[in-house]
Amino acid sequence: MDIKEIKEFLKVDFSDDDNYIILLRGVAIEYIEDSIGRFNLSKAKHRLLALTIIDTMYKERSYIVDSKNLGIQYIMKSIVLQEQLGSE
């Protein structure tokens, strides 16, 4: 995932936050690797999971979990669980 793809997903059209977005990309990939043991850029589920993590961290800029985004939290947890269980 290059920064252009991530910024398109985030709907960001300025460069002020590029370094922060690059940091978030690394955090998201490491988080996925630590959760499921691997990150495969060619798998759509992995890419979407990473982009969603980046989007959440970018927009929230907070690490407090609240009830307003339970749907996406469920989806992300489900994808991680599927990967942990080895489902294709």
Side-chain angles (χ1 to χ4, degrees):
M1 293 182 308
D2 63 14
I3 191 154
K4 182 179 180 220
E5 176 185 6
I6 296 168
K7 287 172 74 171
E8 286 174 3
F9 187 84
L10 296 175
K11 308 237 183 299
V12 170
D13 61 358
F14 53 88
S15 60
D16 295 353
D17 288 345
D18 284 5
N19 288 334
Y20 183 59
I21 292 168
I22 291 167
L23 172 67
L24 293 179
R25 177 184 60 192
V27 169
I29 290 170
E30 287 178 18
Y31 179 79
I32 294 167
E33 288 172 342
D34 290 347
S35 296
I36 61 175
R38 64 195 179 285
F39 176 77
N40 185 340
L41 193 59
S42 65
K43 287 191 79 169
K45 288 192 292 188
H46 289 208
R47 291 172 72 85
L48 179 60
L49 182 57
L51 288 168
T52 303
I53 291 168
I54 293 166
D55 182 62
T56 301
M57 289 188 298
Y58 182 79
K59 289 180 178 168
E60 298 299 322
R61 296 191 187 215
S62 171
Y63 300 100
I64 299 171
V65 176
D66 60 25
S67 62
K68 72 179 179 181
N69 58 359
L70 291 177
I72 196 66
Q73 289 177 23
Y74 174 78
I75 291 168
M76 290 173 53
K77 287 178 184 179
S78 295
I79 290 173
V80 169
L81 181 60
Q82 288 173 344
E83 292 299 315
Q84 288 172 332
L85 296 173
S87 97
E88 291 294 322

